[in-house]
Amino acid sequence: MQVWKDYQVTHKDRFLEELLELLRIPSVSADSSFSKDVKACAEAVKLRLQEAGAEKVEVCPTAGHPIVYGEKIIDPALPTVLVYGHYDVQPADPLELWNSGPFEPVIKDEKIYARGSADDKGQFYMHVKAFETMAKTNTLPCNIKFMIEGEEEVGSANLGIFIKENKERLKADVVLISDTAMLSLENPSLDTGLRGLSYMEVEVTGPNRDLHSGVYGGAVANPATILCKMIASMHDENNHITIPGFYDKVQELSKEERDALNAAPFDEAAYKADLGVDELWGEKGYTTIERTGIRPTLEVNGIWGGYTGEGSKTVLPSKASAKISMRLVPNQDWKEISALFQAHFEKIAPKSVKVKVTTHHGGSPYVTPTDHVAFKAASEAIKATFGKGPIPMRGGGSIPIVALFEKELGLKTILMGFGLDSDNLHSPNEKYGLANFYKGIETIPYFHKYFAEMSK
Ligand code: BES
Ligand code: MN
Ligand code: MN
């Protein structure tokens, strides 16, 4: 639509300036020393939604970080799209590995470098600007509701409560989210699923205090060694996970479904080169696309214990710990998997140590039905602006609230992400392409247009 194009060309630079301003606010949800910044970011989002033309915009307090809500209802008879995103970001550390400040966005090689640029400020902000485009040109084809939260990166526990308490206000026909990746701008794709998550922490305790490793070493079990052995035993020689019952409910895909997934372009040599590894690793019998999309996994996110400071210290530590997460696929239940993990970890612990297992948080996997009218609308929108339709993919990451949208609100979710896997999410030098940002703003209005038309 020419009016959209004209509006977006005119306001292009301002759109970017506003995003950079949001990126300067260190809204790190995991670290309470940033609570004020998280709040300030919520206020900034509120202001931008109001300016864009949203009504009833509100910063809704929760037991944790606030949720920003806003809406524009043009006609109750028209369909309503609920746009979800998150303004919180992951911690920026290790800071020394950033080439520029994580909260001092810079543009280099046509990419915006900053924490949150792709995950998710740069992506949810495309929706605010797409909405502005439609609102200011009087071309909104349907009703829109925005719900932008501040706790996605820490598990969305308070958003879960919020949606249960606000079912009427959140009434909609579909949820639209840009918080995933596509293959590339040349090969657009749409994620048709997200993995679930079960996040655990384990602590292994040996002797009641740190010991001189010469005086006691050899006579007392070293909890760091034991922990490593226990963790290593959780994958077998085929890289299957050894927790009894772990795969019992895993949905196996048909050969046709697997073939369809594997038809997506994938350049293994480029993938390895980008990551600096000589060989890939994973569950035997599955391709890389399958290993990161339709198969469950177990990862150590962090492991510590004993002396890790400068120089050397001879010590047999009293304790060793690890944070372990499992990505889950349909129909695994995260609470069940957490319980299986705990029982197994306690069972394989030798008598020489004591173990403590705690659950941090979790979330269910999700699959978008590709025959849903909104999935068709998203495909058509991509076709309109990319010149070709999207390749359906399964996203490896998790957005735990998505399964609750279905359970609590009865809503399906469309994952229309414009990022790239190589955007360094959760890692130093996170980036988001300017072209991705602008392409998203261009594409999103078409989603609303086609969704409204196809829903008639
Ligand atoms: N945006 C990501 C999820 C994502 C990334 C999905 C890439 C698909 C592709 C989201 O912000 C995220 O990082 N989620 C966390 C889960 C959360 C409970 C900490 C994740 O996946 O680790
Ligand atoms: Mn995200
Ligand atoms: Mn994230």
Side-chain angles (χ1 to χ4, degrees):
M1 291 243 296
Q2 197 59 40
V3 278
W4 291 344
K5 203 158 212 158
D6 292 344
Y7 187 88
Q8 293 177 351
V9 167
T10 309
H11 299 281
K12 191 170 180 274
D13 295 338
R14 176 174 55 81
F15 289 178
L16 178 61
E17 274 312 314
E18 289 168 2
L19 171 61
L20 298 185
E21 215 168 275
L22 276 186
L23 291 169
R24 289 189 190 103
I25 308 174
S27 49
V28 179
S29 51
D31 183 342
S32 58
S33 67
F34 290 96
S35 295
K36 273 211 175 76
D37 302 290
V38 177
K39 179 109 206 303
C41 195
E43 293 295 339
V45 173
K46 173 185 168 181
L47 187 73
R48 293 302 181 208
L49 275 173
Q50 279 171 333
E51 288 171 353
E55 291 162 0
K56 298 188 182 168
V57 189
E58 201 187 313
V59 173
C60 311
T62 72
H65 301 303
I67 296 156
V68 187
Y69 178 84
E71 62 180 40
K72 179 77 186 175
I73 308 296
I74 52 167
D75 177 356
L78 286 171
T80 302
V81 176
L82 174 59
V83 175
Y84 163 84
H86 63 95
Y87 67 83
D88 66 319
V89 300
Q90 286 276 327
D93 61 281
L95 285 175
E96 65 278 12
L97 296 183
W98 284 79
N99 297 326
S100 52
F103 301 106
E104 293 153 28
V106 293
I107 299 188
K108 213 176 88 190
D109 306 328
E110 300 291 302
K111 292 174 194 83
I112 312 160
Y113 283 85
R115 170 59 85 232
S117 55
D119 187 11
D120 176 42
K121 287 175 179 171
Q123 294 218 60
F124 89 71
Y125 205 61
M126 301 180 311
H127 287 270
V128 181
K129 296 299 99 177
F131 168 65
E132 177 188 318
T133 303
M134 297 181 282
K136 302 288 178 192
T137 57
N138 280 316
T139 51
L140 253 184
C142 57
N143 305 311
I144 302 193
K145 295 180 174 178
F146 283 94
M147 183 168 66
I148 313 295
E149 73 150 321
E151 296 193 317
E152 195 277 341
E153 299 291 9
V154 290
S156 302
N158 291 302
L159 185 68
I161 298 168
F162 183 83
I163 64 173
K164 280 185 196 143
E165 289 174 352
N166 288 273
K167 287 191 177 168
E168 196 55 38
R169 169 147 64 156
L170 299 174
K171 261 203 173 140
D173 295 282
V174 73
V175 179
L176 179 63
I177 304 181
S178 294
D179 192 24
T180 51
M182 51 170 47
L183 275 169
S184 65
L185 290 173
E186 295 71 41
N187 287 308
S189 58
L190 270 179
D191 278 354
T192 60
L194 292 162
R195 286 193 286 187
L197 186 72
S198 157
Y199 203 111
M200 315 294 291
E201 183 161 337
V202 297
E203 184 186 74
V204 176
T205 305
N208 58 9
R209 59 190 188 277
D210 283 3
L211 302 174
H212 188 292
S213 65
V215 177
Y216 290 98
V220 179
N222 184 318
T225 311
I226 301 287
L227 174 60
C228 290
K229 274 190 153 180
M230 290 171 75
I231 290 174
S233 77
M234 285 195 272
H235 285 101
D236 70 11
E237 66 283 6
N238 293 322
N239 297 327
H240 287 297
I241 294 155
T242 57
I243 299 170
F246 185 82
Y247 292 100
D248 282 3
K249 295 193 174 162
V250 168
Q251 184 185 77
E252 299 287 341
L253 269 63
S254 68
K255 183 167 182 316
E256 288 71 34
E257 289 171 303
R258 289 178 66 180
D259 287 349
L261 280 178
N262 287 312
F266 177 72
D267 182 342
E268 185 172 320
Y271 190 82
K272 288 193 290 195
D274 176 50
L275 301 177
V277 298
D278 293 332
E279 199 181 302
L280 296 180
W281 177 97
E283 188 182 1
K284 196 176 168 189
Y286 295 92
T287 65
T288 298
I289 287 179
E290 292 171 336
R291 288 167 178 173
T292 57
I294 56 162
R295 297 299 295 170
T297 58
L298 181 148
E299 298 293 340
V300 178
N301 300 268
I303 181 164
W304 66 98
Y307 185 71
T308 56
E310 197 185 332
S312 62
K313 174 189 180 191
T314 47
V315 62
L316 193 164
S318 166
K319 286 179 192 300
S321 303
K323 291 188 193 278
I324 299 173
S325 64
M326 290 159 282
R327 294 284 166 178
L328 310 177
V329 300
N331 300 310
Q332 288 177 298
D333 177 284
W334 76 267
K335 287 191 174 143
E336 231 171 85
I337 294 292
S338 298
L340 288 177
F341 175 95
Q342 172 154 9
H344 180 65
F345 199 81
E346 286 168 353
K347 186 164 165 264
I348 63 173
K351 286 210 172 62
S352 52
V353 297
K354 292 180 190 70
V355 299
K356 195 168 100 192
V357 181
T358 45
T359 302
H360 275 275
H361 55 75
S364 303
Y366 179 75
V367 175
T368 303
T370 51
D371 56 0
H372 193 284
V373 48
F375 189 82
K376 289 182 183 147
S379 302
E380 285 306 312
I382 285 175
K383 216 180 271 171
T385 58
F386 286 77
K388 59 166 145 174
I391 300 165
M393 301 274 290
R394 287 284 194 98
S398 309
I399 307 177
I401 202 67
V402 170
L404 279 187
F405 286 146
E406 172 146 52
K407 186 165 169 250
E408 298 296 334
L409 305 175
L411 295 179
K412 300 287 184 194
T413 292
I414 302 302
L415 301 159
M416 195 162 66
F418 292 89
L420 301 176
D421 279 345
S422 55
D423 280 339
N424 296 331
L425 310 187
H426 298 199
S427 175
N429 306 308
E430 179 176 348
K431 60 178 185 282
Y432 191 44
L434 285 174
N436 301 63
F437 178 62
Y438 287 121
K439 205 73 180 171
I441 299 173
E442 188 188 340
T443 307
I444 291 162
Y446 286 95
F447 170 84
H448 294 281
K449 174 174 148 61
Y450 294 135
F451 181 61
E453 286 173 9
M454 291 177 184
S455 300
K456 272 181 196 151

